[in-house]
């Protein structure tokens, strides 16, 4: 098979093949009355409009909006933009197209870090925990949810909102906590358990399909309370888990957003809880600024003001790094 | 035994006996160097300063600050105010002083409504619920917590913050819900279960001792999440409780404060949840205004502006009702 | 005459007739240089784009944007949407088209309740008032403004913002007040007068034409102050109206929005005023959630977050009721 | 009679006489059991504690708290502060003590400007108005309320909160408006009428007794709506007053606070209304800073931060001017 | 050369010539595959879409988006709007087209006042200052920056955001200060220096090119701190400039926005600083309302609510003045 | 000389000597008319009331309020509290009392860390900086201000508000930055320079006398702008300091509070600036919670809610650590 072409590498006149996410599909009529398919495709490098002019009915049956697709076609230009004329299209799945190079990571934004390597580092961090009870609850939950943890985003539309973003965010926080918990003379294992579990409810709040969205549980209950349930369900099975420690862990999860208006039903009430919140906030903000600068498309050295910081950000004299 | 004299009925020169809450006790020296006890007493009619001049050491051992006391003494006047000179004082308990008329309801603010009658009305309301699952969860929780429900306040320092205030608030809400749920064509049993259970976590958030205060669980977890735990623990034992119904009940409890900044981790997302919040808000505000007018001690037809509404309230041309 | 076809019942290929509101009309040129009319029509079931290709000048003279129209035409499909090709069009009025079934209620959103029945219920409620002075002021104002009250919306773009929405909102509130005023041991007639008159200024603040908008008086003065004027003008003609009662009624109207930032120059300062505000708020919020769920067009069980509650609302496992 | 001594001029050991406001009076017992009167007196120069040791019952009948009093006594020092031992005391009134020099302006804070001179300037400003209708409404209201206008404060506890403060504030604003209205090419008479009448409702909102307080009308209705009533009552009697002009004047009064949260039911909607609000705000803020600096008693060049600006204010290298 | 035609004077069928700002330029293909230029032009009277159908490549090389252009063409109508078919187009500059009437003031919004006359008035105001030190710093800065001061806007997108807007705003403020500083018995020269220098940093914060935008310094430092730098750099060269006076001038510049959330690092702490802030605020708000009314394009007597005041503004019974 | 006794070690009946800060001194009369001195003393362990009964005039001349004093006296008890009867008192200074053990650190709260050791660590951190320009500006400023840096607090009344608090805070931040700057792949030297210099203006904003207070410069200009001045004054003397780097350092200082309402005239606009703000915030909050728990005097496991977090904080089952 020919090599896969990313959307950002499309060139006028080229005939390409590749895997993309179909984000919109409409059956329309031309002015002349003929049917055609009006399609929008996306991969982790960009977005392109596409058309199916021939065998429209047959092609229309092969895929739905929201599905990954395997495509062959020719790149044209229409009104200053690339447009793909689709010659062949099929629903893509790892089962049928994996051997041709299909990987969901091709079609959605992904963490710049390898999930398997991040996983190993987290396993090592958990391995170094000394409090047997906290170690037990963390390792149980991570082991039982490994598959999902490897790919989950950290949010639907805020920080680390991409494949394996959850792991990236938790690993960042764990590294920072590793330094700061002893620095402030705190219970390091409690801080680390808080870091590893504070957002665990997001596994059930967000559906980690190709397009992240809120689940019913996410909308009814929310990740904060879901996460505490998950942790308490495991704790109940651990003999002799100290009551005081359980309540502190509960509190860390319930208070980690730090403010009531950010949907935390509690504000941090002891130093370990406060540190988890502050590290969470620090790592999220650093990621958000990085994304805001990367995603800006305005001219000049400065972004526009429509980002989450509502101020112009400096992209550097030579553009973003 | 002579009849009990309320603090509001104290008259200069009278010798009285009665039951009061000791809210402060200090051992001090007179200028002349003699020891005396400086005490503040309170009952549900008012507050008075008191002194023990004789047998100070012996008396000092008989009671602590925060305890109910049985007292005999003489009313004097010092600097325009009544002052009680204590002749005899003992710690009061229902066990030892119940037969002399001691009742905690004498020394703390109480609901104007009889708790036993309110209880019967609530039992009747629960009896009329038709949804078997919701009826089961509500009746189980109410039956298991009856003793505490009869005396619990609805808050530490806001609305219905007095003995049996919880029952009064829930009964008010239930009566309103009885009218409004069918009026808005909602699932009445769901609204009613929401009304009866929305604040149930306060049983564990607030210690219903003579002076209401927050428990460790209250400070670490908060009544919203505690209450949902209590409800879910019962639901788990009820066979065939519909998942969808459970999630809706969860959501009603989690969202009943109505706003994130009031510590609700969710905002109402369907009409039954919104109605529970709105009735809760309505009944709480009505109670708060009644209390604010009753508790105002300023002259004239209007209260001062230091109440929770931060505006002058009208006490009426003839004072408060 | 053939039966009227609602826009939501349009089917490709059908030839229809009906009454619609013309919300936009533009005279344009085709690429070929020919004139045509580009029109948008609306009724209480939906919206449709329409074109006039023939006799354009003649047709153009027959109606203006903003007017109700009687239309005959054929339904086609253009770019996945219905498009009406108009064959005949005339301005519609009750005078000329009433006998063919024209009724303004066909072309604007209307209350789901019959205005005449609502009117009768309100008359009955007023009839039961016992305070002669309050009864007199309410009945006078309602009688003098009957025609307008039957059709007025309760707001331009918020709750009950449709034909007869005013009546629906006031009747809801009156039914709730009927239960709650005695429940809280308040002056029921004062609460009821407050409910019936609190928004009366909206009759002059909002023009109840087909498209509701603010009047000059609405923009300069606002419904709160206008409404108090209307009430005081009537009270001046009622002999012996107690001064104290007049001030309380004034205050209820001036404070009914409940908060300064919602343009109330006063906050409720006694229990009857507070109750009117709380019932107003409760009924408005219940209506707003019902509308937000009905008007949502997103897929799935949940609305998007662009509604007035700024949160996802649950449409139910089977879509909205 | 000896000359009057202001409180700020009290010297230890002096025997004085003067007129003061009794702001507190309490009948108390000494430790020895004797009755005495504990009194606080104030005049426009300061405050002093005072005692009546002799003929206590007789003296006690001669005056109430809240009344102006004529006093003779001796100045002593107790705990670093002056204390007045009262020898003779009577209620003061203009009728009985006017000839001895009593004037209410002695015992309450007063404007630094002479009210009669300010009145003349305002009469002259009104005289120059050219719009006959606006001139008529302003001059009528000012003439009818002259006595009260001469002494009224501009607020209970904010800017210009002293005798004749109303006149001082309005005159300041009128002088500014005289320059700015033509500068911005506005209808000067409309701006001037707005300036002169915007706060007129305060005549009925605030009782201008020795201690300013809110009236029943002030609490129920508020000065904004009361003021508009006063203006409209006069306008109704003026033939041919243009409707458009009346609505604009209404709007200026209703919007002069500028923001909803400051209890304005409208925000300024045309340039004349905006200018009246901005001048009002400017003159009030300038007065508040002057008062905050004058009233500060902390050491050093800077005030503390407990003033209305919540920042340290510069009193100057040499203290306040 | 024929006279210049403003965009607002375009009439269908006319052939025109004039100078405009090219705000957008795109090279596109027609459906038939031919290249054309799609252009948007603007002058101080309005905006128009334009097309280049012939000699597209040649024309495309003659100008860039963002440049002023000299244009000849024919006015047509497309979809109810004017469209200019360009026949000849060149980049315009004062050097090459000045003699044909080109002036940047033609193509960008300008102050309604003549900059040279405003300059003379400001020079005269500076000339009347009596404090030698303040006069020196103001006159030095104004003299050194004369060219830029004559054309600079007062903001990018808020008040006085047009050519010579800076001068217009400062002159307005100076006239007001001339009246108010003595009225409040303040140091007039200090107020005047504050007025003349408070925004001086905008000369370096905003690039006064045809399209105003923020400079690097503007984004990194901001006009408040830049302005203080400019003033202090001059003061350092003035012998004997009193330290106290320098600090006060510093403070006036740092606090002139008046509120922290408006990016002032200080709030006004003495009367001269407060007055500069209040005059700045007053003149800016008056200008913003004037612009909001002028720029509104909705029908009727009232603007829509999308302006900076978020309320409907009155355009007058006869439209805006 | 006998050993020094801390206030927290006072015991009834003991005769003590020590060094304290006199925070209040008043000359008063006893009821019997005799003069005495009423004094409040403080050291870093607590506060005590004290009296001088003998040789009052002579003693009164020996010290002022606000000065450190050397005291001998006897501990008594008055109204449940210790009271010191002063026998001998003199102003203390390092010059005259240093050899007897006087050290200002005894009488004011101090950092728990040794300032000389912290200084060495910071010198070492500066020594490792690689960017010659940044290293130069930091080392120059630290060297020139060494004496003050060793003892300065980090704020008047917020975080690290004690002797050497500045050094403690900056060292904490530097250690965190040392880990996080490379972790986020930022310019580490720029982050470190930002950390070391962000608050440098506090040296001139706060007077580091025994009682910290704002200087004139602090009130007029504020530490943010003062600090930037100090940095720029040094940079001007460093040849070839890159303009871009200077602007970035300027921006870090101007934006380090992170929010306009916290008096930052800029918000962080690139990642290094954001990180400095986030580390500053993290370390300040951690310190504030530690102080809030240590300073709480309420009973039980939880603090009251009057701290800066406005929530109950957990002091632990065994009280604070």
């Amino acid at each position: 098979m020919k090599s896969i072409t990313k959307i950002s590498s499309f060139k006028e006149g080229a005939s390409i093949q590749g895997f993309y996410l179909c984000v919109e599909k409409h059956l329309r009529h031309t002015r002349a009355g003929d049917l055609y398919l009006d399609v929008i495709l996306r991969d982790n490098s960009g977005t392109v409009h596409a058309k199916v002019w021939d065998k429209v009915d047959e092609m229309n049956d092969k895929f739905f909006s929201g599905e990954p697709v395997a495509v062959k076609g020719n790149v044209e230009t229409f009104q200053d933009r690339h447009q793909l004329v689709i010659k062949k299209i099929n629903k893509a799945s790892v089962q049928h197209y994996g051997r041709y190079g299909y990987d969901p990571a091709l079609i959605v934004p992904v963490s710049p870090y390898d999930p398997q390597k991040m996983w190993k580092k987290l396993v090592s961090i958990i391995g170094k925990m000394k409090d047997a009870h906290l170690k037990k609850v963390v390792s149980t939950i991570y082991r039982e949810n490994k598959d999902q943890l490897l790919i989950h985003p950290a949010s639907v539309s805020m920080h680390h909102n991409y494949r394996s973003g959850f792991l990236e965010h938790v690993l960042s926080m764990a590294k920072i906590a590793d330094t700061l918990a002893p620095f402030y003379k705190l219970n390091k294992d409690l801080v680390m358990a808080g870091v590893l579990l504070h957002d665990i409810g997001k596994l059930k709040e967000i559906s980690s399909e190709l397009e992240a969205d809120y689940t019913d549980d996410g909308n009814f209950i929310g990740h904060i309370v879901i996460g505490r349930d998950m942790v308490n369900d495991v704790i109940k099975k651990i003999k002799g888990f100290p009551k005081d420690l359980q309540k502190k862990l509960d509190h860390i999860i319930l208070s980690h957003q730090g403010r009531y208006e950010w949907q935390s039903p509690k504000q941090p009430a002891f130093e370990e809880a406060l540190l988890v919140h502050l590290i969470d906030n620090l790592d999220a903000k650093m990621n958000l600024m990085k994304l805001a600068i990367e995603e800006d498309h305005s001219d000049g050295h400065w972004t526009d003001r429509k980002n989450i910081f509502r101020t112009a950000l400096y992209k550097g004299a030579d553009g973003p790094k």
Side-chain angles (χ1 to χ4, degrees), chain A:
Chain A
M1 192 185 183
K2 285 198 307 182
S3 64
I4 289 162
T5 308
K6 293 215 165 193
I7 288 170
S8 62
S9 305
F10 279 12
K11 287 200 169 52
E12 194 174 354
S15 67
I16 60 87
Q17 63 183 19
F19 300 101
Y20 314 104
L21 179 68
C22 170
V23 290
E24 282 190 36
K25 186 185 79 166
H26 303 281
L27 189 63
R28 304 195 196 277
H29 292 81
T30 63
R31 296 232 157 193
D34 298 324
L35 279 173
Y36 71 98
L37 285 175
D38 197 7
V39 171
I40 299 177
L41 301 176
R42 198 176 70 192
D43 66 10
N44 59 29
S45 76
T47 296
V48 73
H49 284 253
K51 298 278 187 293
V52 176
W53 301 116
D54 302 324
K55 298 191 219 164
V56 173
D57 282 334
E58 185 190 326
M59 299 280 213
N60 191 23
D61 291 345
K62 301 223 174 199
F63 68 107
F64 288 95
S65 173
E67 289 182 341
V69 285
V71 173
K72 288 190 184 179
N74 301 324
V75 182
E76 304 188 347
T77 294
F78 179 63
Q79 293 190 351
D80 278 1
R81 292 188 311 187
H82 286 135
Q83 176 175 281
L84 184 69
V85 177
I86 296 172
K87 295 299 175 192
K88 205 172 158 189
I89 188 163
N90 269 304
K91 181 181 170 180
S93 66
V94 174
Q95 191 184 359
H96 292 104
Y97 283 86
R99 57 193 149 150
Y100 300 112
Y102 171 63
D103 180 343
L106 290 174
I107 63 172
V108 290
V110 295
S111 167
Y113 301 99
D114 178 61
Q116 292 293 349
K117 285 185 188 163
M118 292 195 284
W119 179 260
K120 274 188 197 160
K121 286 184 187 163
L122 281 170
V123 166
S124 158
I125 284 166
I126 296 170
K128 285 180 197 146
M129 289 174 72
K130 287 169 187 157
D131 181 300
H133 295 104
L134 290 171
K135 188 178 192 167
K136 181 76 176 171
V137 63
V138 172
S139 59
T140 303
I141 287 176
Y142 267 63
R143 197 180 54 239
E144 288 178 354
N145 295 283
K146 180 177 175 183
D147 289 352
Q148 206 181 346
L149 281 164
L150 282 169
I151 60 171
H152 219 72
S155 72
V156 169
S157 58
M158 294 290 288
H159 67 96
H160 301 90
N161 58 337
Y162 41 71
R163 198 172 164 89
S164 305
F166 185 100
L167 227 53
E168 181 187 340
H169 176 47
V170 166
L171 182 57
S172 283
M173 285 178 64
K175 288 178 178 173
I176 300 172
D178 192 54
T179 303
L180 294 190
F183 181 72
Y184 288 114
K185 298 171 185 160
L186 307 183
N187 180 338
K188 182 174 161 182
D189 282 351
L190 182 57
V191 172
M192 199 57 83
V195 161
L196 293 162
L197 299 176
H198 78 288
D199 262 356
I200 201 72
K202 291 204 170 169
L203 297 187
K204 298 190 179 173
E205 184 190 47
I206 304 171
S207 60
S208 61
E209 300 304 316
L210 298 169
E211 287 282 281
D213 201 359
Y214 293 97
T215 62
D216 277 11
D217 271 17
N219 276 319
F220 276 129
I221 320 289
H223 82 276
I224 294 178
V225 174
I226 295 171
R228 178 179 162 275
D229 282 354
M230 292 171 69
V231 169
N232 275 308
D233 285 348
V234 172
I235 285 179
K236 275 178 200 157
K237 297 176 196 150
I238 301 175
K239 274 191 194 162
F241 201 103
K243 279 288 161 208
D244 190 61
L245 199 59
Q246 179 175 7
K247 281 188 206 315
K248 283 184 170 175
L249 193 51
D250 276 359
H251 182 82
I252 290 175
I253 295 170
L254 293 175
S255 71
H256 81 262
Q257 308 266 50
R259 296 196 197 168
Y260 300 144
E261 62 266 39
W262 293 344
Q263 298 187 247
S264 263
K266 281 287 166 185
Q267 288 182 342
F270 49 89
E271 290 174 73
E272 285 83 2
L274 180 63
L275 187 61
V276 171
H277 158 62
L278 289 169
I279 296 175
D280 186 19
N281 180 57
L282 185 151
D283 191 56
K285 293 260 172 70
M286 290 304 293
N287 184 259
L288 284 168
M289 187 176 276
K290 187 161 151 276
L291 294 177
I293 289 173
E294 285 172 8
E295 287 167 6
D296 180 79
H297 295 304
S298 60
D299 295 336
H301 299 169
W302 297 84
T303 68
D304 62 32
R305 289 157 190 254
K306 286 168 202 155
N307 55 66
I308 200 172
F309 299 95
R310 298 189 178 278
T311 193
L313 304 175
Y314 189 55
K315 294 188 287 188
D318 314 312
K321 285 165 287 193

